[in-house]
Amino acid sequence: MRVLSRGGHTSLRRRLVIGILLPVIALIAFNTVSLYRQALQAADTAYDRTLLASAKSIGELLEVSGSGADARLRATVLYSALEPFEADNRSRLFYRVSGFQGEMVSGFDDFPAWRGQLPTQGPYAALVDFYDDSYRGLPVRVAVLLQPVAGAGGQGIATIQVAETLELRQTLARKILVETLWRQALLVIVIVVVVVLVVQRATRPVRRLSAQLLARGEDDLAPVEAPDAPREWLPLVEATNQVVAKLRHLLEHQKRFVRDASHQLKTPLAVLKTQVQSALHGDVEPMLALREINTTVERATQLANQMLALAKVEQLRQQLEPAPIQDWAQVTRAVALDLSALIAESQLDFDIATVHAPIRSYEWALRELTRNLLHNAVQHSPEQGRLNIALVADANYAALTISDSGPGLSDAQRDKLFLPFAAGEKRQGSGLGLAICHEIVLSLGGSISLDNLVRGGRVTGLAATVRLPLADDRGQ
């Protein structure tokens, strides 16, 4: 038994790995982007508190000079006062203090003044706003604090802006991201290893079964046994056993056909050879020898045709596509017309009655079935006997009955006549006719019976009845 190669097929392991990893990697990518954004937001929240604290510390160093309309904001802020709020040397702080009228009071002169609006609801109990900007070509995070300042001569609102570069925030976010990616990568590796090991273990019975099939001989068609296969593989095992059973049946039929053909054709060929040698030696008159040779050739031809028909019936049983619909009545009348000369030669009292009977079958099969039954009836009917053909139908089945006035059959004869190369007491044929009929009827889902006709306690003939299921011909 040979096994087809597996070239060009994707492995189950690869399909599972790809099918699982693709959605997992997509989810990890989405999760990584979301996590990076959350990490940045968390870093902003943490370091925004430091910016707010630095702005408040500057606000504590502000005072008012002058009085009335001449009141002015004065700041004595040194940059060194901001050093405690710098996380490390990777980030830098910039600030600007604007007076009551928006004038520059202290800080970096080129730092852009705030022109925004306070949020309606902020996270802190202060007049503070945070925003992203750029200063001196560097991205910065800016905290704006509106600080009330009062003195003996007057009061007002000071605007304090403190900006910090983003190196430390981005470094922290990247650190969180890298640590997360390592864990996600480890998760992907674990998934791949688990899938590979699980598939390897799950497919072990299949590989063992494949090895067993490869080790079989070409003529070993025993059923496949896989007791340790998972339940998911059982349909495949059962389908394989069904295919093996079909192959075994076909091979047995082929062997039987070759054996029967060699055995059955041996006798007529030997007879034909003897007749030819007798004619060549002059032992038999030429015309008599030719008639004997012609008879032998006709019998051998009939035997060969019937054996080919029997083999063709086996192909009909293996046919998967539905057969066309035939009118059994037309086929029956056509067969009766073909055998009319034989019926007339025997001077039979012939009667035929048919009704429309659509049967799903190939025409040659119905013709072969009807012809064999009618030919047997003609052969076994005495001269001037009766021969009746009746084709009737009900809602589901059609029944063809061919009745003759021959000697009938004994029970033992009726049981073995459906076997190949079995014939009645009068050996007039090869014994394949009824076997062919039986195989055709089975392939069409019908039944066949042979019943003696009894009148007055005496057998007066034989009735061969075939029942076949009707086909719906409304679409024809």
Side-chain angles (χ1 to χ4, degrees):
M1 180 177 180
R2 303 189 64 84
V3 181
L4 295 177
S5 63
R6 297 170 292 180
H9 295 277
T10 305
S11 68
L12 177 62
R13 182 165 46 204
R14 181 180 302 176
R15 289 184 180 182
L16 285 176
V17 170
I18 294 176
I20 293 176
L21 285 187
L22 284 181
V24 169
I25 291 176
L27 180 60
I28 289 176
F30 176 78
N31 186 41
T32 300
V33 174
S34 301
L35 181 63
Y36 183 67
R37 291 179 177 176
Q38 293 174 0
L40 287 177
Q41 292 176 357
D44 285 342
T45 301
Y47 287 103
D48 284 351
R49 292 179 181 272
T50 304
L51 283 179
L52 178 59
S54 63
K56 286 182 177 181
S57 68
I58 293 175
E60 293 175 353
L61 301 176
L62 300 179
E63 59 185 21
V64 179
S65 62
S67 62
D70 295 331
R72 294 289 183 272
L73 182 68
R74 188 175 62 178
T76 57
V77 181
L78 298 177
Y79 185 82
S80 59
L82 299 178
E83 289 182 355
F85 298 101
E86 290 182 343
D88 58 16
N89 57 5
R90 286 177 293 177
S91 62
R92 296 181 59 192
L93 288 177
F94 309 96
Y95 77 97
R96 175 189 173 100
V97 179
S98 301
F100 302 148
Q101 305 300 323
E103 73 276 10
M104 172 68 182
V105 175
S106 179
F108 293 80
D109 295 339
D110 57 345
F111 194 87
W114 178 65
R115 296 289 186 268
Q117 295 180 351
L118 292 176
T120 56
Q121 184 177 0
Y124 303 102
L127 299 176
V128 63
D129 183 26
F130 297 94
Y131 64 94
D132 295 322
D133 203 349
S134 62
Y135 178 60
R136 296 181 180 179
L138 299 175
V140 293
R141 179 73 171 173
V142 184
V144 180
L145 175 64
L146 301 183
Q147 177 69 41
V149 181
Q155 62 182 6
I157 299 295
T159 303
I160 304 171
Q161 296 172 256
V162 182
E164 182 185 24
T165 56
L166 303 180
E167 293 90 352
L168 190 60
R169 300 169 184 245
Q170 294 174 348
T171 300
L172 178 60
R174 283 195 295 267
K175 182 179 179 181
I176 296 174
L177 177 63
V178 171
E179 292 179 354
T180 303
L181 286 178
W182 275 112
R183 290 193 295 269
Q184 302 289 6
L186 181 61
L187 175 62
V188 172
I189 294 174
V190 170
I191 291 175
V192 172
V193 173
V194 170
V195 169
V196 171
L197 293 178
V198 170
V199 172
Q200 190 78 6
R201 183 178 180 86
T203 56
R204 187 180 302 166
V206 179
R207 295 195 301 275
R208 187 182 300 115
L209 178 61
S210 177
Q212 294 176 359
L213 293 177
L214 289 173
R216 284 188 175 191
E218 293 187 356
D219 57 346
D220 187 0
L221 295 176
V224 175
E225 296 182 359
D228 57 343
R231 286 187 299 175
E232 290 77 8
W233 296 108
L234 293 181
L236 176 61
V237 175
E238 294 176 357
T240 302
N241 285 333
Q242 292 178 3
V243 173
V244 170
K246 291 180 180 179
L247 290 176
R248 184 169 60 250
H249 175 73
L250 290 176
L251 288 177
E252 290 176 354
H253 180 269
Q254 182 181 21
K255 291 179 181 179
R256 184 172 64 250
F257 176 80
V258 173
R259 182 180 64 249
D260 294 341
S262 61
H263 175 72
Q264 295 298 325
L265 291 176
K266 185 185 302 182
T267 300
L269 291 178
V271 172
L272 182 61
K273 183 178 180 180
T274 301
Q275 291 173 341
V276 171
Q277 289 178 348
S278 298
L280 290 176
H281 295 158
D283 298 336
V284 183
E285 295 182 0
M287 293 303 298
L288 179 60
L290 288 176
R291 283 194 294 269
E292 292 178 349
I293 291 174
N294 182 62
T295 302
T296 304
V297 170
E298 287 181 351
R299 291 181 178 177
T301 302
Q302 179 186 7
L303 175 61
N305 289 335
Q306 288 185 323
M307 293 190 67
L308 291 176
L310 191 61
K312 197 173 181 180
V313 172
E314 183 62 28
Q315 294 180 358
L316 177 64
R317 299 181 67 174
Q318 303 297 327
Q319 187 75 28
L320 297 179
E321 297 180 358
I325 296 178
Q326 310 292 336
D327 185 3
W328 200 3
Q330 293 182 1
V331 174
T332 301
R333 289 186 174 275
V335 170
L337 183 61
D338 292 341
L339 298 180
S340 59
L342 187 61
I343 295 173
E345 182 181 352
S346 298
Q347 300 180 6
L348 298 178
D349 183 8
F350 178 66
D351 183 54
I352 182 171
T354 61
V355 297
H356 176 65
I359 303 296
R360 186 170 293 280
S361 170
Y362 291 96
E363 183 180 0
W364 68 265
L366 281 182
R367 181 178 289 272
E368 188 72 21
L369 169 65
T370 308
R371 184 183 183 283
N372 281 323
L373 292 177
L374 184 57
H375 189 270
N376 283 345
V378 172
Q379 281 190 328
H380 291 87
S381 294
E383 290 189 1
Q384 299 181 355
R386 292 188 322 279
L387 180 60
N388 295 326
I389 298 178
L391 178 61
V392 297
D394 55 21
N396 299 315
Y397 285 89
L400 174 67
T401 301
I402 300 179
S403 305
D404 60 44
S405 54
L409 295 173
S410 64
D411 293 339
Q413 290 174 336
R414 187 186 302 109
D415 293 338
K416 70 179 182 179
L417 279 182
F418 290 131
L419 300 176
F421 307 108
E425 295 179 354
K426 292 177 61 178
R427 184 75 184 200
Q428 297 180 344
S430 62
L432 284 175
L434 288 178
I436 295 173
C437 294
H438 185 254
E439 294 297 325
I440 292 176
V441 169
L442 291 181
S443 67
L444 298 179
S447 62
I448 182 172
S449 62
L450 300 175
D451 301 302
N452 287 330
L453 300 176
V454 180
R455 178 177 297 176
R458 184 173 62 89
V459 176
T460 59
L462 182 71
T465 302
V466 175
R467 287 174 53 85
L468 296 178
L470 290 173
D472 185 4
D473 62 344
R474 289 175 295 181
Q476 295 288 318

